[in-house]
Amino acid sequence: MDYWNAFWVGGLICALVQILLDKTKLMPGRVMVLLVCTGTLLGAIGIYQPLIDFAGAGASVPLLGFGNTLWKGMKEAIDTDGFIGLFKGGFTACAAGVSAALIFSYIASWIFKPKMKE
């Protein structure tokens, strides 16, 4: 049942984002920022953690989950380090994921020839 819940919740998130991309003129980068900010907001008001508990990777892997992870890292760092935790909490919570994304996207830019969208 855990796999089923992860599948349909993750699929629903992806389908809603695809509809957003198809029906609006928002660029993919802006949609990605919107998803991370929405995940952070949903984590801050306590809605996203129960969804992660229910769906597991179906809710934690999409960009909404990345925003929630940023929020949790910042909250923990603020509780332990005070104001400076606001700046370092997100880095420590997401260091591996952000590093991997930067490294692999840089490698992909060497392999493929990226072009600006017209």
Side-chain angles (χ1 to χ4, degrees):
M1 197 60 163
D2 290 339
Y3 293 121
W4 172 249
N5 290 338
F7 176 76
W8 77 262
V9 170
L12 181 65
I13 292 170
C14 291
L16 292 173
V17 171
Q18 189 62 50
I19 291 169
L20 182 66
L21 285 168
D22 290 345
K23 299 296 181 186
T24 65
K25 293 186 183 225
L26 290 173
M27 299 293 286
R30 291 183 183 192
V31 172
M32 289 171 56
V33 169
L34 181 67
L35 289 170
V36 172
C37 292
T38 303
T40 303
L41 180 66
L42 292 175
I45 59 178
I47 293 175
Y48 207 71
Q49 189 59 46
L51 184 62
I52 290 176
D53 295 339
F54 174 73
S60 64
V61 171
L63 284 174
L64 290 169
F66 179 70
N68 183 54
T69 303
L70 282 172
W71 164 251
K72 287 193 302 189
M74 286 174 50
K75 184 176 181 322
E76 290 173 12
I78 290 169
D79 291 342
T80 58
D81 300 329
F83 182 72
I84 194 71
L86 181 67
F87 302 103
K88 74 177 199 174
F91 290 118
T92 56
C94 300
V98 170
S99 298
L102 288 172
I103 291 167
F104 291 126
S105 63
Y106 188 66
I107 292 170
S109 73
W110 282 353
I111 297 170
F112 304 101
K113 302 294 180 207
K115 296 181 180 127
M116 293 298 292
K117 190 175 180 180
E118 294 181 19

